[in-house]
Amino acid sequence: SMEHFTAEVQRIRPAAPGQQVIELAADEWLARIIRNRNVRYVAIGIEDGRRITPLQQRKAYATLRDIGEYTGYPMDAVKGIMKVEHMMRTGDYEYFSLADCSVTKAREFINTLLEYALKEGIIMDESGLMRTDDIDTYLIQCIRYRRCCICGRPADIHHVDAIGMGNNRRHYDDSQNEIAALCRNHHNLAHSLGWQRFMSRYKVYGIERYRCREGGSDGNIVRDDWERGAGGAVQAGAGTGGAKHY
């Protein structure tokens, strides 16, 4: 099967009559593959604004590779398994291809991949912030599975809006207060820098507590005993019917 990669067009310059040289900027590992395999011809897909973008393809395939390394399954098997996972997650059983699906379908599939990675505690080779195509959903998933939104490691809950002294947690309605999932190091850094500088540096923001409930506003809200880390890190798949292993 064809492997999909993404590169950035740097410039186009004249070559022989009727031809142009297109210069691309690619990751070093991609250049190494081209050299090692002595690749002379490649297929190029052009984004048309309606279908999955090259950047979405890069995000999806990079995350599939991380899941494959974690599970031990080859790319084709992982892709098939995760498509089934996505169909079960969304209830949409229509077949789709990462070659030509819609931008919306690609965004939802990336959400599925990241949710699985967070649920299983998979540490990807780059921050989930670089993989997500839907930052809002990603930040909520990090809180639900208690994974740092910056690095993916086990997280504490950072209270962006502190309840404050004199307010009783048992009676105070903090459902509108914003929270974020941060590992101990990034939690300390957020306090050291201040939340505004931290947000600016990492391009993240707090999520209202009520939005972190499973199933939206009718589900179970994140509770304080969970936030305090009783019993260690939350178990993968807790509250979601259990993690799936393949």
Side-chain angles (χ1 to χ4, degrees), residues 62-74 78 82 116-124 147 236 243-246:
T63 308
L64 285 167
R65 279 195 292 271
D66 285 333
I67 294 173
E69 290 179 3
Y70 175 80
T71 60
Y73 283 84
V78 171
M82 293 312 302
Y116 182 84
L118 291 167
K119 181 169 61 177
E120 292 295 321
I122 300 172
I123 302 299
M124 297 177 286
R147 293 285 164 180
K244 297 177 178 64
H245 299 274
Y246 302 103

Side-chain angles (χ1 to χ4, degrees), residues 57-123:
Q57 288 176 325
R58 188 198 76 79
K59 291 176 178 180
Y61 278 101
T63 308
L64 285 167
R65 279 195 292 271
D66 285 333
I67 294 173
E69 290 179 3
Y70 175 80
T71 60
Y73 283 84
M75 174 63 77
D76 285 347
V78 171
K79 186 161 57 172
I81 290 169
M82 293 312 302
K83 283 183 178 180
V84 172
E85 175 84 1
H86 177 72
M87 292 174 184
M88 295 174 62
R89 174 180 176 268
T90 61
D92 181 359
Y93 293 92
E94 181 180 354
Y95 174 80
F96 65 96
S97 169
L98 289 176
D100 60 1
C101 67
S102 69
V103 167
T104 300
K105 176 77 75 173
R107 181 177 299 117
E108 284 297 318
F109 185 58
I110 293 169
N111 283 344
T112 294
L113 297 178
L114 288 176
E115 181 170 20
Y116 182 84
L118 291 167
K119 181 169 61 177
E120 292 295 321
I122 300 172
I123 302 299

Side-chain angles (χ1 to χ4, degrees), residues 25-240:
D27 293 335
E28 183 177 351
W29 57 266
L30 176 55
R32 188 163 55 247
I33 289 174
I34 293 174
R35 284 194 299 267
N36 292 344
R37 297 183 184 179
N38 196 28
V39 175
R40 296 190 62 194
Y41 298 96
V42 296
I44 298 178
I46 305 299
E47 178 184 350
D48 65 4
R50 296 187 299 271
R51 296 297 177 183
I52 183 172
T53 68
L55 182 58
Q56 286 179 315
Q57 288 176 325
R58 188 198 76 79
K59 291 176 178 180
Y61 278 101
T63 308
L64 285 167
R65 279 195 292 271
D66 285 333
I67 294 173
E69 290 179 3
Y70 175 80
T71 60
Y73 283 84
M75 174 63 77
D76 285 347
V78 171
K79 186 161 57 172
I81 290 169
M82 293 312 302
K83 283 183 178 180
V84 172
E85 175 84 1
H86 177 72
M87 292 174 184
M88 295 174 62
R89 174 180 176 268
T90 61
D92 181 359
Y93 293 92
E94 181 180 354
Y95 174 80
F96 65 96
S97 169
L98 289 176
D100 60 1
C101 67
S102 69
V103 167
T104 300
K105 176 77 75 173
R107 181 177 299 117
E108 284 297 318
F109 185 58
I110 293 169
N111 283 344
T112 294
L113 297 178
L114 288 176
E115 181 170 20
Y116 182 84
L118 291 167
K119 181 169 61 177
E120 292 295 321
I122 300 172
I123 302 299
M124 297 177 286
D125 64 8
E126 63 182 341
S127 171
L129 292 170
M130 303 299 294
R131 297 285 180 81
T132 185
D133 203 52
D134 181 355
I135 182 65
D136 209 60
T137 296
Y138 172 73
L139 293 174
I140 291 172
Q141 289 173 343
C142 288
I143 293 170
R144 287 179 178 170
Y145 296 107
R146 204 170 173 188
R147 293 285 164 180
C148 180
C149 62
I150 311 299
C151 66
R153 290 179 171 78
D156 298 323
I157 297 301
H158 174 75
H159 292 81
V160 178
D161 298 317
I163 291 178
M165 297 181 62
N167 288 312
N168 189 323
R169 284 181 179 269
R170 294 180 180 274
H171 303 291
Y172 176 77
D173 180 11
D174 62 350
S175 61
Q176 298 288 335
N177 285 19
E178 294 182 354
I179 56 178
L182 300 174
C183 69
R184 189 57 52 87
N185 287 341
H186 285 110
H187 198 154
N188 291 339
L189 184 59
H191 283 292
S192 175
L193 291 177
W195 184 244
Q196 293 301 319
R197 289 179 62 195
F198 187 85
M199 282 197 302
S200 178
R201 173 178 294 189
Y202 291 104
K203 312 304 180 191
V204 297
Y205 51 87
I207 297 290
E208 296 90 342
R209 281 177 63 102
Y210 77 89
R211 298 182 58 213
C212 302
R213 297 164 173 165
E214 289 292 343
S217 59
D218 296 328
N220 295 320
I221 197 167
V222 175
R223 294 312 325 161
D224 285 332
D225 54 351
W226 179 83
E227 292 176 8
R228 285 194 296 269
V234 67
Q235 296 298 309
T240 63

